[in-house]
Amino acid sequence: MNSTQAWVTYLSKVELPVLANTLRRINELTDSKNSTVNELANVILNDAQLTSQVLRLSNTVFYNQTRTQVSTVSRAITLIGFDAVKSMAISSLIVDALLKRNDRPHLLRCLARAIHAAVQARCLMPRRNETALEEVFIGALLMNIGELAFWSCETDQATELEERLRLDEPPVEAQKAVLHSTFTEITRGLVDAWSLGPFIKDVVSPGQANSTASSLVRNSVEMARLSEQGWSGPDMDKVLERLGKDIGESPAVVRDQLKVNASEATRVAVSLGIPQVTAMMPGADGKSGDAGAQAPDMDPELQLEILRELSQCLAEKPDINEVCQLVIEGIHRAIGMQRVALLMSDRTGNELVPRKLGGRGTEEWRQHFVIRKDGTGPLGSLLPHAHCSIFEPKPNAEGVPYDRWLGKVPALIGPIKANGRLIGLFYADNAAGTYTPSKEQLSAFGHFIQNAQLCLTLMSTH
């Protein structure tokens, strides 16, 4: 690939054709005045993972401030709005399609910036109408789609560019040397090729923005990049002035709003199933999130809600499958762990193998994830202690060929026992996230595991 058009064709036809076609279809539907709720619902329902993500987002405060429970896509469109569901679908599609292919640090950082910018633009936008709110959200999310698409691909060029950036070569010069193009030019090509609409075309076009909304998106994206170094500095001050003009507020007021909105962005990232990127976002305390040492915030309300459901299940008629599914959902969504597995004894009783999985990046686990009960093998160190604990990998941990993180990153581990014997365990990690789970996460994890253990105990006494 030695031109912008070559990269656009390669990304559209070879690497990401399904994403390109689905985005195009959603935009065609929402741009048509004749589109119905059912047509958008059907596009979403064709993808089970997308359906699950849209319903999860539909029940978050960011989109659903009434907290009315939403259990179907059609209901979500009716209650929350056509444009909001489109926004959720596109967000989920982008995250799923890209992270399914790769989780290199550059991609995670780009996703963190995109989500942060999108949430900021939506929160800052004067509330004229729902369409405008979602338009700026999607505009900010897709403003760097060329860069996102590029880093999702395992190409020689990606490896070479990564090395040049590691040596502090100026980004645009490095892009031109390796790609014979720039991320900005590739983005403009993809916006046309994927028919992403006139608003996004204006956002990514050169020259002055044609509307206040376009200006707000551009400034939100620039602010998200600068905020990784903190909320102050001459460049940040200039962006705050421009944002202030966009929304009619003083830079000081804008700065305060941005810090509050940053916390909302971390919650949206967790709801999208990528809590590991929250460590790359700035915190609401005004410090940069660049250190990557802190676990993401938990959702205590959702935690209580799922624990209530678990109590109800146990009080009625204990069903181990239903209880374990709720436990996995609680660990994934409320505690903020990206990948969760329940492993149980196999027929021989010598190995623990997956029974239930949750989260992105667990597809290979079903066939390959095995822990020997005698503690041997590459994952023997994951065997739990008497109680729930935080697994800390050794510096040169062995790892496994089917997953680059298993056994090599911090994780939460909790045992399941019957008559004092280990019969299973819950495992949860955050893949590329570099932080160790917090004590609060471990405590909440323990509460969920206790419910699974209680269910087994109740069943054994009946």
Side-chain angles (χ1 to χ4, degrees):
M1 282 78 70
N2 56 7
S3 69
T4 300
Q5 188 53 50
W7 276 106
V8 169
T9 302
Y10 175 71
L11 293 170
S12 303
K13 306 286 187 184
V14 178
E15 293 282 359
L16 298 164
V18 175
L19 175 63
N21 290 333
T22 309
L23 286 176
R24 193 179 292 117
R25 177 71 180 130
I26 289 175
N27 275 297
E28 285 171 358
L29 279 179
T30 52
D31 289 341
S32 167
K33 291 183 172 58
N34 300 319
S35 297
T36 65
V37 167
N38 286 339
E39 285 177 308
L40 179 57
N42 286 337
V43 171
I44 294 170
L45 289 168
N46 279 334
D47 184 327
Q49 176 74 10
L50 179 58
T51 302
S52 172
Q53 284 288 74
V54 165
L55 291 177
R56 180 177 299 149
L57 288 165
S58 297
N59 287 295
T60 63
V61 177
F62 185 67
Y63 282 106
N64 182 355
Q65 295 185 350
T66 66
R67 300 292 281 185
T68 304
Q69 190 67 27
V70 175
S71 54
T72 67
V73 174
S74 298
R75 172 72 172 147
I77 296 171
T78 303
L79 180 71
I80 300 170
F82 202 90
D83 294 298
V85 173
K86 169 189 173 181
S87 169
M88 296 177 212
I90 290 177
S91 307
S92 301
L93 276 169
I94 293 292
V95 169
D96 276 338
L98 301 183
L99 280 187
K100 191 181 291 181
R101 305 162 51 76
N102 208 314
D103 56 4
R104 67 168 78 233
H106 281 287
L107 175 60
L108 292 174
R109 184 166 298 288
C110 287
L111 274 173
R113 285 177 187 167
I115 293 167
H116 183 201
V119 170
Q120 291 283 7
R122 188 181 190 271
C123 290
L124 290 172
M125 183 73 180
R127 294 181 176 272
R128 299 187 193 117
N129 59 62
E130 196 65 35
T131 301
L133 291 177
E134 303 311 332
E135 197 170 52
V136 296
F137 182 93
I138 295 302
L141 188 74
L142 297 179
M143 186 173 164
N144 290 312
I145 187 63
E147 184 174 5
L148 284 164
F150 173 81
W151 287 124
S152 76
C153 303
E154 283 288 359
T155 61
D156 292 339
Q157 289 92 334
T159 304
E160 183 183 347
L161 184 56
E162 204 167 38
E163 180 61 22
R164 284 175 179 255
L165 294 176
R166 191 180 67 80
L167 297 172
D168 289 330
E169 188 171 333
V172 174
E173 283 81 346
Q175 292 164 33
K176 288 178 179 177
V178 177
L179 313 181
H180 304 284
S181 181
T182 64
F183 289 148
T184 300
E185 290 165 352
I186 294 170
T187 290
R188 289 170 184 156
L190 290 179
V191 168
D192 283 334
W194 295 5
S195 304
L196 296 182
F199 179 74
I200 295 176
K201 189 166 185 175
D202 179 37
V203 167
V204 302
S205 293
Q208 193 168 348
N210 289 325
S211 68
T212 301
S214 293
S215 176
L216 175 63
V217 168
R218 292 183 184 184
N219 289 324
S220 296
V221 170
E222 177 64 5
M223 178 280 305
R225 183 183 67 81
L226 293 172
S227 68
E228 291 166 12
Q229 308 304 320
W231 295 113
S232 58
D235 290 336
M236 177 62 83
D237 290 343
K238 290 175 186 174
V239 173
L240 291 176
E241 280 189 36
R242 297 200 297 269
L243 282 170
K245 289 178 183 175
D246 290 333
I247 65 173
E249 295 283 2
S250 70
V253 169
V254 172
R255 197 192 311 268
D256 290 341
Q257 287 185 19
L258 292 178
K259 292 178 183 179
V260 174
N261 298 343
S263 290
E264 191 65 60
T266 64
R267 286 190 282 272
V268 170
V270 171
S271 297
L272 280 165
I274 46 173
Q276 71 271 38
V277 306
T278 61
M280 301 174 180
M281 294 178 176
D285 58 0
K287 295 177 183 177
S288 167
D290 200 44
Q294 293 187 342
D297 291 336
M298 296 188 295
D299 188 334
E301 287 186 26
L302 181 58
Q303 187 181 330
L304 282 173
E305 191 179 307
I306 294 175
L307 285 171
R308 271 191 226 105
E309 286 186 48
L310 281 166
S311 298
Q312 191 173 341
C313 284
L314 294 171
E316 293 170 356
K317 187 177 179 183
D319 180 290
I320 190 64
N321 285 316
E322 185 179 355
V323 167
C324 287
Q325 192 59 50
L326 277 170
V327 168
I328 281 181
E329 186 169 348
I331 295 168
H332 178 48
R333 292 175 56 202
I335 299 179
M337 301 302 290
Q338 184 195 353
R339 313 190 301 177
V340 189
L342 166 62
L343 294 92
M344 300 292 286
S345 293
D346 67 354
R347 291 178 181 176
T348 69
N350 297 324
E351 295 179 338
L352 298 170
V353 296
R355 285 293 176 85
K356 289 186 178 294
L357 301 171
R360 190 174 292 105
T362 58
E363 296 81 9
E364 294 291 320
W365 290 6
R366 197 171 299 282
Q367 299 297 324
H368 303 291
F369 192 176
V370 174
I371 300 176
R372 295 176 192 161
K373 285 190 179 180
D374 63 5
T376 61
L379 299 180
S381 58
L382 293 179
L383 280 174
H385 302 292
H387 306 288
C388 293
S389 60
I390 296 174
F391 167 75
E392 292 280 8
K394 293 179 180 176
N396 298 311
E398 187 176 342
V400 290
Y402 56 87
D403 188 292
R404 74 177 78 179
W405 308 115
L406 265 180
K408 300 182 77 172
V409 294
L412 293 171
I413 301 174
I416 298 293
K417 296 184 177 181
N419 300 319
R421 291 184 303 107
L422 179 72
I423 62 167
L425 67 85
F426 280 91
Y427 171 90
D429 72 22
N430 271 311
T434 58
Y435 48 82
T436 298
S438 65
K439 289 181 180 177
E440 290 76 19
Q441 284 181 306
L442 175 61
S443 175
F445 180 74
H447 288 313
F448 282 116
I449 307 305
Q450 283 172 10
N451 279 273
Q453 184 66 65
L454 182 58
C455 181
L456 275 174
T457 304
L458 287 171
M459 290 177 66
S460 66
T461 58
H462 288 317

